[in-house]
Amino acid sequence: MAEAVAAISPEQQQQQQQQTPSASAFVGDKVPDNANEHCPGPESESAGKADGCAGCPNQEICASQAGIAGPDPDIAVITERLRGVKHKILVLSGKGGVGKSTFTSQLAFALAGDDEDREVGVVDVDVCGPSIPTIMGCAREEVHASGGGWSPVFVRDNLG
């Protein structure tokens, strides 16, 4: 999966979304340009299931009904919470076992350094097997969750 020393900026996220076709590209009655001739449309109940969908490159995403509900309503909340994070670095790869967690933890320690005024945070979004807590020596610690969000586990005073 991926670890993030924070996240990408809203501007970068918007640019990526514009460059990458996604489920949100199918919202509305608009039939994708590369759809089959008899496409029922992505909002149809038969989207991705009709005979006309066979062999269409969009068949799987249309059948899943992904993106029909519109954009994630939490985007604004996340954007606001990250507004105070000056620099965000995303470490990811499409392959496992390449050292993302090792690199991320070493980068975090290096960025934190001995400067008590510099705050560095790491988020491990690998829900199947997060290894950042093990690498950073805090595997037995618990993240405190409250109505205001999560409170980080600190490895050092300036590294959480």
Side-chain angles (χ1 to χ4, degrees):
M1 283 300 213
E3 292 83 24
V5 176
I8 61 175
S9 71
E11 294 81 17
Q12 290 168 321
Q13 184 180 22
Q14 185 178 19
Q15 186 179 23
Q16 275 186 341
Q17 288 171 346
Q18 290 170 350
Q19 294 172 352
T20 307
S22 66
S24 61
F26 297 97
V27 175
D29 294 326
K30 186 177 182 217
V31 174
D33 294 337
N34 61 346
N36 288 350
E37 182 179 354
H38 300 289
C39 174
E43 289 191 345
S44 166
E45 283 194 28
S46 60
K49 302 170 192 138
D51 291 340
C53 299
C56 177
N58 306 304
Q59 185 175 10
E60 188 176 327
I61 198 162
C62 286
S64 74
Q65 297 291 308
I68 297 302
D72 187 336
D74 290 331
I75 295 290
V77 174
I78 294 167
T79 301
E80 182 58 34
R81 287 186 178 172
L82 288 174
R83 190 172 310 283
V85 179
K86 187 174 181 180
H87 300 285
K88 301 155 189 91
I89 301 170
L90 179 67
V91 179
L92 76 128
S93 170
K95 182 174 180 346
V98 296
K100 297 177 297 291
S101 296
T102 301
F103 175 80
T104 298
S105 61
Q106 293 305 307
L107 178 62
F109 278 114
L111 290 172
D114 293 330
D115 185 353
E116 295 284 328
D117 294 330
R118 182 180 297 140
E119 294 180 322
V120 177
V122 175
V123 178
D124 190 345
V125 295
D126 187 344
V127 294
C128 296
S131 55
I132 289 289
T134 302
I135 293 171
M136 298 187 90
C138 58
R140 297 187 193 274
E141 300 293 329
E142 294 283 328
V143 173
H144 176 72
S146 69
W150 292 353
S151 296
V153 171
F154 284 90
V155 179
R156 292 184 183 167
D157 288 342
N158 65 341
L159 178 57

